[in-house]
mmCIF file of all heavy atoms in Angstrom:
data_model
loop_
_atom_site.group_PDB
_atom_site.id
_atom_site.type_symbol
_atom_site.label_atom_id
_atom_site.label_comp_id
_atom_site.label_asym_id
_atom_site.label_seq_id
_atom_site.Cartn_x
_atom_site.Cartn_y
_atom_site.Cartn_z
ATOM 1 N N MET C 1 -0.075 4.995 6.975
ATOM 2 C CA MET C 1 -0.390 4.044 5.917
ATOM 3 C C MET C 1 0.323 4.414 4.631
ATOM 4 O O MET C 1 0.910 3.560 3.952
ATOM 5 C CB MET C 1 -1.910 4.013 5.681
ATOM 6 C CG MET C 1 -2.691 3.300 6.753
ATOM 7 S SD MET C 1 -4.435 3.779 6.773
ATOM 8 C CE MET C 1 -4.833 3.711 5.051
ATOM 9 N N PHE C 2 0.291 5.702 4.293
ATOM 10 C CA PHE C 2 0.920 6.151 3.052
ATOM 11 C C PHE C 2 2.427 5.905 3.085
ATOM 12 O O PHE C 2 3.007 5.410 2.107
ATOM 13 C CB PHE C 2 0.631 7.640 2.839
ATOM 14 C CG PHE C 2 1.310 8.231 1.635
ATOM 15 C CD1 PHE C 2 0.830 7.990 0.357
ATOM 16 C CD2 PHE C 2 2.451 9.013 1.785
ATOM 17 C CE1 PHE C 2 1.461 8.518 -0.751
ATOM 18 C CE2 PHE C 2 3.083 9.556 0.676
ATOM 19 C CZ PHE C 2 2.596 9.311 -0.592
ATOM 20 N N MET C 3 3.072 6.243 4.207
ATOM 21 C CA MET C 3 4.521 6.080 4.305
ATOM 22 C C MET C 3 4.923 4.611 4.265
ATOM 23 O O MET C 3 5.888 4.240 3.574
ATOM 24 C CB MET C 3 5.027 6.732 5.593
ATOM 25 C CG MET C 3 4.794 8.238 5.678
ATOM 26 S SD MET C 3 5.571 9.151 4.310
ATOM 27 C CE MET C 3 7.307 8.835 4.642
ATOM 28 N N VAL C 4 4.175 3.760 4.997
ATOM 29 C CA VAL C 4 4.511 2.332 5.014
ATOM 30 C C VAL C 4 4.254 1.711 3.647
ATOM 31 O O VAL C 4 5.073 0.919 3.149
ATOM 32 C CB VAL C 4 3.697 1.602 6.104
ATOM 33 C CG1 VAL C 4 3.940 0.096 6.042
ATOM 34 C CG2 VAL C 4 4.065 2.129 7.479
ATOM 35 N N ALA C 5 3.122 2.050 3.015
ATOM 36 C CA ALA C 5 2.822 1.511 1.683
ATOM 37 C C ALA C 5 3.867 1.961 0.670
ATOM 38 O O ALA C 5 4.294 1.182 -0.194
ATOM 39 C CB ALA C 5 1.432 1.960 1.245
ATOM 40 N N ARG C 6 4.288 3.211 0.764
ATOM 41 C CA ARG C 6 5.326 3.715 -0.134
ATOM 42 C C ARG C 6 6.635 2.956 0.063
ATOM 43 O O ARG C 6 7.324 2.618 -0.900
ATOM 44 C CB ARG C 6 5.532 5.202 0.123
ATOM 45 C CG ARG C 6 6.514 5.863 -0.821
ATOM 46 C CD ARG C 6 6.638 7.340 -0.512
ATOM 47 N NE ARG C 6 7.602 7.978 -1.395
ATOM 48 C CZ ARG C 6 7.965 9.248 -1.286
ATOM 49 N NH1 ARG C 6 7.416 10.013 -0.354
ATOM 50 N NH2 ARG C 6 8.851 9.756 -2.118
ATOM 51 N N HIS C 7 6.968 2.668 1.332
ATOM 52 C CA HIS C 7 8.181 1.892 1.632
ATOM 53 C C HIS C 7 8.066 0.486 1.053
ATOM 54 O O HIS C 7 9.031 -0.046 0.486
ATOM 55 C CB HIS C 7 8.386 1.831 3.146
ATOM 56 C CG HIS C 7 9.544 0.983 3.560
ATOM 57 N ND1 HIS C 7 10.856 1.358 3.367
ATOM 58 C CD2 HIS C 7 9.585 -0.255 4.156
ATOM 59 C CE1 HIS C 7 11.661 0.416 3.823
ATOM 60 N NE2 HIS C 7 10.917 -0.569 4.305
ATOM 61 N N HIS C 8 6.879 -0.125 1.189
ATOM 62 C CA HIS C 8 6.677 -1.462 0.638
ATOM 63 C C HIS C 8 6.870 -1.481 -0.871
ATOM 64 O O HIS C 8 7.525 -2.367 -1.417
ATOM 65 C CB HIS C 8 5.265 -1.955 0.976
ATOM 66 C CG HIS C 8 5.136 -2.392 2.403
ATOM 67 N ND1 HIS C 8 3.959 -2.893 2.919
ATOM 68 C CD2 HIS C 8 6.018 -2.396 3.431
ATOM 69 C CE1 HIS C 8 4.137 -3.211 4.191
ATOM 70 N NE2 HIS C 8 5.358 -2.903 4.526
ATOM 71 N N ILE C 9 6.284 -0.481 -1.538
ATOM 72 C CA ILE C 9 6.328 -0.462 -3.002
ATOM 73 C C ILE C 9 7.740 -0.166 -3.520
ATOM 74 O O ILE C 9 8.222 -0.807 -4.459
ATOM 75 C CB ILE C 9 5.325 0.584 -3.538
ATOM 76 C CG1 ILE C 9 3.890 0.132 -3.229
ATOM 77 C CG2 ILE C 9 5.488 0.775 -5.039
ATOM 78 C CD1 ILE C 9 2.848 1.174 -3.528
ATOM 79 N N ASN C 10 8.406 0.802 -2.886
ATOM 80 C CA ASN C 10 9.712 1.257 -3.394
ATOM 81 C C ASN C 10 10.883 0.410 -2.918
ATOM 82 O O ASN C 10 11.871 0.262 -3.646
ATOM 83 C CB ASN C 10 9.952 2.713 -2.996
ATOM 84 C CG ASN C 10 8.963 3.658 -3.640
ATOM 85 O OD1 ASN C 10 8.401 3.366 -4.695
ATOM 86 N ND2 ASN C 10 8.717 4.797 -3.017
ATOM 87 N N LYS C 11 10.788 -0.154 -1.692
ATOM 88 C CA LYS C 11 11.955 -0.831 -1.125
ATOM 89 C C LYS C 11 11.799 -2.343 -1.010
ATOM 90 O O LYS C 11 12.761 -3.083 -1.212
ATOM 91 C CB LYS C 11 12.235 -0.257 0.280
ATOM 92 C CG LYS C 11 12.539 1.232 0.288
ATOM 93 C CD LYS C 11 13.870 1.519 -0.397
ATOM 94 C CE LYS C 11 14.191 3.011 -0.380
ATOM 95 N NZ LYS C 11 14.423 3.530 0.958
ATOM 96 N N ILE C 12 10.589 -2.808 -0.656
ATOM 97 C CA ILE C 12 10.419 -4.237 -0.374
ATOM 98 C C ILE C 12 10.030 -5.026 -1.617
ATOM 99 O O ILE C 12 10.590 -6.093 -1.893
ATOM 100 C CB ILE C 12 9.382 -4.439 0.749
ATOM 101 C CG1 ILE C 12 9.878 -3.768 2.037
ATOM 102 C CG2 ILE C 12 9.140 -5.920 0.994
ATOM 103 C CD1 ILE C 12 8.928 -3.889 3.203
ATOM 104 N N LEU C 13 9.058 -4.510 -2.389
ATOM 105 C CA LEU C 13 8.602 -5.256 -3.572
ATOM 106 C C LEU C 13 9.734 -5.599 -4.545
ATOM 107 O O LEU C 13 9.777 -6.720 -5.057
ATOM 108 C CB LEU C 13 7.511 -4.465 -4.295
ATOM 109 C CG LEU C 13 6.072 -4.657 -3.784
ATOM 110 C CD1 LEU C 13 5.108 -3.766 -4.544
ATOM 111 C CD2 LEU C 13 5.649 -6.112 -3.901
ATOM 112 N N PRO C 14 10.663 -4.676 -4.836
ATOM 113 C CA PRO C 14 11.747 -5.041 -5.767
ATOM 114 C C PRO C 14 12.619 -6.188 -5.285
ATOM 115 O O PRO C 14 13.280 -6.847 -6.096
ATOM 116 C CB PRO C 14 12.568 -3.734 -5.865
ATOM 117 C CG PRO C 14 11.604 -2.654 -5.537
ATOM 118 C CD PRO C 14 10.708 -3.245 -4.490
ATOM 119 N N THR C 15 12.645 -6.450 -3.970
ATOM 120 C CA THR C 15 13.490 -7.530 -3.446
ATOM 121 C C THR C 15 12.776 -8.877 -3.424
ATOM 122 O O THR C 15 13.387 -9.889 -3.087
ATOM 123 C CB THR C 15 13.946 -7.194 -2.002
ATOM 124 O OG1 THR C 15 12.795 -7.166 -1.139
ATOM 125 C CG2 THR C 15 14.649 -5.842 -1.966
ATOM 126 N N LEU C 16 11.481 -8.886 -3.761
ATOM 127 C CA LEU C 16 10.693 -10.124 -3.680
ATOM 128 C C LEU C 16 10.505 -10.767 -5.043
ATOM 129 O O LEU C 16 9.460 -11.344 -5.326
ATOM 130 C CB LEU C 16 9.327 -9.826 -3.052
ATOM 131 C CG LEU C 16 9.339 -9.365 -1.592
ATOM 132 C CD1 LEU C 16 7.932 -9.050 -1.122
ATOM 133 C CD2 LEU C 16 9.982 -10.412 -0.682
ATOM 134 N N VAL C 17 11.485 -10.674 -5.899
ATOM 135 C CA VAL C 17 11.399 -11.284 -7.224
ATOM 136 C C VAL C 17 11.327 -12.799 -7.080
ATOM 137 O O VAL C 17 12.194 -13.422 -6.460
ATOM 138 C CB VAL C 17 12.624 -10.884 -8.085
ATOM 139 C CG1 VAL C 17 12.545 -11.551 -9.446
ATOM 140 C CG2 VAL C 17 12.691 -9.373 -8.221
ATOM 141 N N GLY C 18 10.269 -13.392 -7.617
ATOM 142 C CA GLY C 18 10.085 -14.827 -7.535
ATOM 143 C C GLY C 18 9.177 -15.274 -6.413
ATOM 144 O O GLY C 18 8.657 -16.387 -6.432
ATOM 145 N N ASP C 19 8.969 -14.435 -5.397
ATOM 146 C CA ASP C 19 8.076 -14.775 -4.287
ATOM 147 C C ASP C 19 6.710 -14.159 -4.576
ATOM 148 O O ASP C 19 6.375 -13.075 -4.106
ATOM 149 C CB ASP C 19 8.644 -14.242 -2.972
ATOM 150 C CG ASP C 19 7.967 -14.875 -1.753
ATOM 151 O OD1 ASP C 19 6.820 -15.346 -1.910
ATOM 152 O OD2 ASP C 19 8.571 -14.894 -0.667
ATOM 153 N N GLU C 20 5.907 -14.889 -5.364
ATOM 154 C CA GLU C 20 4.637 -14.335 -5.831
ATOM 155 C C GLU C 20 3.629 -14.155 -4.692
ATOM 156 O O GLU C 20 2.824 -13.222 -4.717
ATOM 157 C CB GLU C 20 4.042 -15.253 -6.906
ATOM 158 C CG GLU C 20 4.900 -15.333 -8.168
ATOM 159 C CD GLU C 20 4.267 -16.218 -9.219
ATOM 160 O OE1 GLU C 20 3.179 -16.785 -8.941
ATOM 161 O OE2 GLU C 20 4.851 -16.348 -10.309
ATOM 162 N N ARG C 21 3.665 -15.015 -3.677
ATOM 163 C CA ARG C 21 2.689 -14.929 -2.593
ATOM 164 C C ARG C 21 2.866 -13.641 -1.788
ATOM 165 O O ARG C 21 1.913 -12.906 -1.545
ATOM 166 C CB ARG C 21 2.820 -16.140 -1.671
ATOM 167 C CG ARG C 21 1.755 -16.199 -0.585
ATOM 168 C CD ARG C 21 1.889 -17.491 0.217
ATOM 169 N NE ARG C 21 3.153 -17.543 0.917
ATOM 170 C CZ ARG C 21 3.376 -16.990 2.115
ATOM 171 N NH1 ARG C 21 2.395 -16.340 2.717
ATOM 172 N NH2 ARG C 21 4.535 -17.081 2.704
ATOM 173 N N LYS C 22 4.109 -13.339 -1.402
ATOM 174 C CA LYS C 22 4.363 -12.116 -0.633
ATOM 175 C C LYS C 22 4.149 -10.873 -1.493
ATOM 176 O O LYS C 22 3.646 -9.854 -1.016
ATOM 177 C CB LYS C 22 5.782 -12.129 -0.077
ATOM 178 C CG LYS C 22 5.995 -13.139 1.037
ATOM 179 C CD LYS C 22 7.396 -13.039 1.616
ATOM 180 C CE LYS C 22 7.584 -14.013 2.769
ATOM 181 N NZ LYS C 22 8.955 -13.922 3.333
ATOM 182 N N THR C 23 4.510 -10.976 -2.768
ATOM 183 C CA THR C 23 4.293 -9.840 -3.672
ATOM 184 C C THR C 23 2.814 -9.524 -3.806
ATOM 185 O O THR C 23 2.401 -8.361 -3.749
ATOM 186 C CB THR C 23 4.889 -10.142 -5.063
ATOM 187 O OG1 THR C 23 6.287 -10.414 -4.925
ATOM 188 C CG2 THR C 23 4.694 -8.967 -6.000
ATOM 189 N N ALA C 24 1.990 -10.571 -3.973
ATOM 190 C CA ALA C 24 0.538 -10.372 -4.088
ATOM 191 C C ALA C 24 -0.033 -9.791 -2.801
ATOM 192 O O ALA C 24 -0.916 -8.927 -2.832
ATOM 193 C CB ALA C 24 -0.139 -11.693 -4.428
ATOM 194 N N ALA C 25 0.460 -10.246 -1.648
ATOM 195 C CA ALA C 25 -0.036 -9.740 -0.360
ATOM 196 C C ALA C 25 0.295 -8.258 -0.190
ATOM 197 O O ALA C 25 -0.547 -7.469 0.251
ATOM 198 C CB ALA C 25 0.565 -10.547 0.779
ATOM 199 N N LEU C 26 1.508 -7.872 -0.550
ATOM 200 C CA LEU C 26 1.893 -6.467 -0.431
ATOM 201 C C LEU C 26 1.089 -5.592 -1.383
ATOM 202 O O LEU C 26 0.663 -4.488 -1.034
ATOM 203 C CB LEU C 26 3.393 -6.305 -0.712
ATOM 204 C CG LEU C 26 4.340 -6.715 0.416
ATOM 205 C CD1 LEU C 26 5.790 -6.564 -0.027
ATOM 206 C CD2 LEU C 26 4.094 -5.881 1.651
ATOM 207 N N LYS C 27 0.878 -6.074 -2.597
ATOM 208 C CA LYS C 27 0.077 -5.302 -3.552
ATOM 209 C C LYS C 27 -1.360 -5.151 -3.078
ATOM 210 O O LYS C 27 -1.977 -4.096 -3.240
ATOM 211 C CB LYS C 27 0.123 -5.976 -4.930
ATOM 212 C CG LYS C 27 1.463 -5.829 -5.639
ATOM 213 C CD LYS C 27 1.430 -6.461 -7.013
ATOM 214 C CE LYS C 27 2.733 -6.246 -7.753
ATOM 215 N NZ LYS C 27 2.725 -6.873 -9.103
ATOM 216 N N MET C 28 -1.909 -6.227 -2.481
ATOM 217 C CA MET C 28 -3.274 -6.169 -1.971
ATOM 218 C C MET C 28 -3.376 -5.169 -0.825
ATOM 219 O O MET C 28 -4.320 -4.379 -0.755
ATOM 220 C CB MET C 28 -3.710 -7.557 -1.499
ATOM 221 C CG MET C 28 -5.152 -7.600 -1.000
ATOM 222 S SD MET C 28 -5.608 -9.226 -0.372
ATOM 223 C CE MET C 28 -4.574 -9.296 1.093
ATOM 224 N N ASN C 29 -2.390 -5.162 0.083
ATOM 225 C CA ASN C 29 -2.391 -4.200 1.180
ATOM 226 C C ASN C 29 -2.269 -2.769 0.681
ATOM 227 O O ASN C 29 -2.918 -1.859 1.194
ATOM 228 C CB ASN C 29 -1.239 -4.502 2.154
ATOM 229 C CG ASN C 29 -1.589 -5.596 3.144
ATOM 230 O OD1 ASN C 29 -2.755 -5.817 3.442
ATOM 231 N ND2 ASN C 29 -0.582 -6.296 3.637
ATOM 232 N N SER C 30 -1.445 -2.580 -0.348
ATOM 233 C CA SER C 30 -1.285 -1.234 -0.910
ATOM 234 C C SER C 30 -2.578 -0.758 -1.562
ATOM 235 O O SER C 30 -2.967 0.400 -1.426
ATOM 236 C CB SER C 30 -0.148 -1.240 -1.939
ATOM 237 O OG SER C 30 1.073 -1.620 -1.342
ATOM 238 N N LYS C 31 -3.265 -1.668 -2.243
ATOM 239 C CA LYS C 31 -4.537 -1.321 -2.876
ATOM 240 C C LYS C 31 -5.591 -0.984 -1.821
ATOM 241 O O LYS C 31 -6.339 -0.006 -1.956
ATOM 242 C CB LYS C 31 -5.012 -2.486 -3.733
ATOM 243 C CG LYS C 31 -6.318 -2.216 -4.475
ATOM 244 C CD LYS C 31 -6.734 -3.413 -5.312
ATOM 245 C CE LYS C 31 -8.063 -3.147 -6.005
ATOM 246 N NZ LYS C 31 -8.508 -4.323 -6.797
ATOM 247 N N ALA C 32 -5.640 -1.781 -0.740
ATOM 248 C CA ALA C 32 -6.601 -1.515 0.337
ATOM 249 C C ALA C 32 -6.291 -0.188 1.022
ATOM 250 O O ALA C 32 -7.192 0.555 1.410
ATOM 251 C CB ALA C 32 -6.568 -2.652 1.352
ATOM 252 N N THR C 33 -4.998 0.130 1.150
ATOM 253 C CA THR C 33 -4.601 1.401 1.754
ATOM 254 C C THR C 33 -5.073 2.577 0.911
ATOM 255 O O THR C 33 -5.595 3.566 1.430
ATOM 256 C CB THR C 33 -3.067 1.449 1.907
ATOM 257 O OG1 THR C 33 -2.657 0.391 2.771
ATOM 258 C CG2 THR C 33 -2.621 2.780 2.490
ATOM 259 N N LEU C 34 -4.899 2.471 -0.397
ATOM 260 C CA LEU C 34 -5.338 3.541 -1.285
ATOM 261 C C LEU C 34 -6.854 3.709 -1.239
ATOM 262 O O LEU C 34 -7.374 4.831 -1.259
ATOM 263 C CB LEU C 34 -4.882 3.251 -2.722
ATOM 264 C CG LEU C 34 -5.183 4.329 -3.765
ATOM 265 C CD1 LEU C 34 -4.556 5.663 -3.356
ATOM 266 C CD2 LEU C 34 -4.676 3.912 -5.136
ATOM 267 N N THR C 35 -7.576 2.597 -1.146
ATOM 268 C CA THR C 35 -9.041 2.667 -1.025
ATOM 269 C C THR C 35 -9.456 3.377 0.252
ATOM 270 O O THR C 35 -10.362 4.219 0.250
ATOM 271 C CB THR C 35 -9.643 1.249 -1.055
ATOM 272 O OG1 THR C 35 -9.264 0.594 -2.279
ATOM 273 C CG2 THR C 35 -11.159 1.301 -0.964
ATOM 274 N N THR C 36 -8.784 3.046 1.361
ATOM 275 C CA THR C 36 -9.083 3.713 2.629
ATOM 276 C C THR C 36 -8.807 5.208 2.544
ATOM 277 O O THR C 36 -9.571 6.027 3.060
ATOM 278 C CB THR C 36 -8.245 3.092 3.765
ATOM 279 O OG1 THR C 36 -8.441 1.679 3.772
ATOM 280 C CG2 THR C 36 -8.663 3.651 5.112
ATOM 281 N N LEU C 37 -7.708 5.569 1.877
ATOM 282 C CA LEU C 37 -7.394 6.987 1.686
ATOM 283 C C LEU C 37 -8.493 7.683 0.889
ATOM 284 O O LEU C 37 -8.908 8.793 1.224
ATOM 285 C CB LEU C 37 -6.055 7.134 0.964
ATOM 286 C CG LEU C 37 -4.793 6.998 1.805
ATOM 287 C CD1 LEU C 37 -3.561 6.910 0.900
ATOM 288 C CD2 LEU C 37 -4.648 8.175 2.752
ATOM 289 N N CYS C 38 -8.963 7.023 -0.167
ATOM 290 C CA CYS C 38 -10.004 7.615 -1.018
ATOM 291 C C CYS C 38 -11.313 7.805 -0.258
ATOM 292 O O CYS C 38 -12.109 8.696 -0.589
ATOM 293 C CB CYS C 38 -10.237 6.731 -2.246
ATOM 294 S SG CYS C 38 -8.853 6.687 -3.395
ATOM 295 N N VAL C 39 -11.566 6.972 0.757
ATOM 296 C CA VAL C 39 -12.777 7.120 1.562
ATOM 297 C C VAL C 39 -12.590 8.181 2.646
ATOM 298 O O VAL C 39 -13.489 8.976 2.915
ATOM 299 C CB VAL C 39 -13.166 5.760 2.194
ATOM 300 C CG1 VAL C 39 -14.311 5.934 3.177
ATOM 301 C CG2 VAL C 39 -13.565 4.769 1.106
ATOM 302 N N ALA C 40 -11.410 8.192 3.263
ATOM 303 C CA ALA C 40 -11.182 9.071 4.419
ATOM 304 C C ALA C 40 -11.025 10.533 4.026
ATOM 305 O O ALA C 40 -11.557 11.420 4.711
ATOM 306 C CB ALA C 40 -9.942 8.605 5.183
ATOM 307 N N VAL C 41 -10.306 10.807 2.940
ATOM 308 C CA VAL C 41 -10.026 12.204 2.580
ATOM 309 C C VAL C 41 -11.305 12.994 2.279
ATOM 310 O O VAL C 41 -11.493 14.098 2.808
ATOM 311 C CB VAL C 41 -9.035 12.260 1.399
ATOM 312 C CG1 VAL C 41 -8.895 13.690 0.877
ATOM 313 C CG2 VAL C 41 -7.668 11.748 1.838
ATOM 314 N N PRO C 42 -12.246 12.474 1.457
ATOM 315 C CA PRO C 42 -13.494 13.228 1.246
ATOM 316 C C PRO C 42 -14.279 13.444 2.535
ATOM 317 O O PRO C 42 -14.892 14.507 2.715
ATOM 318 C CB PRO C 42 -14.280 12.348 0.258
ATOM 319 C CG PRO C 42 -13.253 11.545 -0.441
ATOM 320 C CD PRO C 42 -12.200 11.282 0.580
ATOM 321 N N PHE C 43 -14.265 12.442 3.425
ATOM 322 C CA PHE C 43 -14.997 12.621 4.687
ATOM 323 C C PHE C 43 -14.393 13.760 5.507
ATOM 324 O O PHE C 43 -15.122 14.584 6.070
ATOM 325 C CB PHE C 43 -14.975 11.333 5.507
ATOM 326 C CG PHE C 43 -15.660 11.476 6.840
ATOM 327 C CD1 PHE C 43 -17.038 11.392 6.934
ATOM 328 C CD2 PHE C 43 -14.923 11.713 7.993
ATOM 329 C CE1 PHE C 43 -17.677 11.536 8.158
ATOM 330 C CE2 PHE C 43 -15.548 11.862 9.218
ATOM 331 C CZ PHE C 43 -16.929 11.775 9.302
ATOM 332 N N ILE C 44 -13.076 13.807 5.593
ATOM 333 C CA ILE C 44 -12.420 14.867 6.364
ATOM 334 C C ILE C 44 -12.737 16.237 5.767
ATOM 335 O O ILE C 44 -13.031 17.198 6.488
ATOM 336 C CB ILE C 44 -10.905 14.621 6.401
ATOM 337 C CG1 ILE C 44 -10.596 13.369 7.238
ATOM 338 C CG2 ILE C 44 -10.166 15.828 6.975
ATOM 339 C CD1 ILE C 44 -9.159 12.923 7.180
ATOM 340 N N ILE C 45 -12.718 16.325 4.442
ATOM 341 C CA ILE C 45 -13.013 17.600 3.781
ATOM 342 C C ILE C 45 -14.461 18.015 4.028
ATOM 343 O O ILE C 45 -14.759 19.184 4.310
ATOM 344 C CB ILE C 45 -12.724 17.491 2.268
ATOM 345 C CG1 ILE C 45 -11.224 17.308 2.040
ATOM 346 C CG2 ILE C 45 -13.230 18.724 1.529
ATOM 347 C CD1 ILE C 45 -10.857 17.023 0.597
ATOM 348 N N CYS C 46 -15.382 17.045 3.938
ATOM 349 C CA CYS C 46 -16.810 17.366 4.083
ATOM 350 C C CYS C 46 -17.216 17.613 5.539
ATOM 351 O O CYS C 46 -18.175 18.348 5.795
ATOM 352 C CB CYS C 46 -17.662 16.232 3.498
ATOM 353 S SG CYS C 46 -17.524 16.041 1.715
ATOM 354 N N ALA C 47 -16.504 17.005 6.496
ATOM 355 C CA ALA C 47 -16.887 17.153 7.902
ATOM 356 C C ALA C 47 -16.243 18.362 8.568
ATOM 357 O O ALA C 47 -16.751 18.851 9.579
ATOM 358 C CB ALA C 47 -16.520 15.886 8.676
#
């Protein structure tokens, strides 16, 4: 998730200038990915 989201942010988003729908979708996926990371990492540490 981290690698794909990083690729989306660094490589794909800059090429989507003017395409607001795809840009919003990628940003939403990146935000959801970060949320999942924030939930999973504490669980792994605590378990």
Side-chain angles (χ1 to χ4, degrees):
M1 286 159 46
F2 176 76
M3 298 302 295
V4 175
R6 184 179 179 184
H7 176 72
H8 284 181
I9 293 171
N10 295 335
K11 299 292 181 66
I12 298 179
L13 274 177
T15 65
L16 295 178
V17 179
D19 195 337
E20 296 181 358
R21 185 175 63 85
K22 289 184 178 180
T23 302
L26 283 177
K27 288 182 177 179
M28 182 183 68
N29 278 335
S30 300
K31 182 180 178 182
T33 299
L34 184 57
T35 302
T36 307
L37 279 170
C38 292
V39 172
V41 172
F43 177 81
I44 292 172
I45 293 173
C46 293

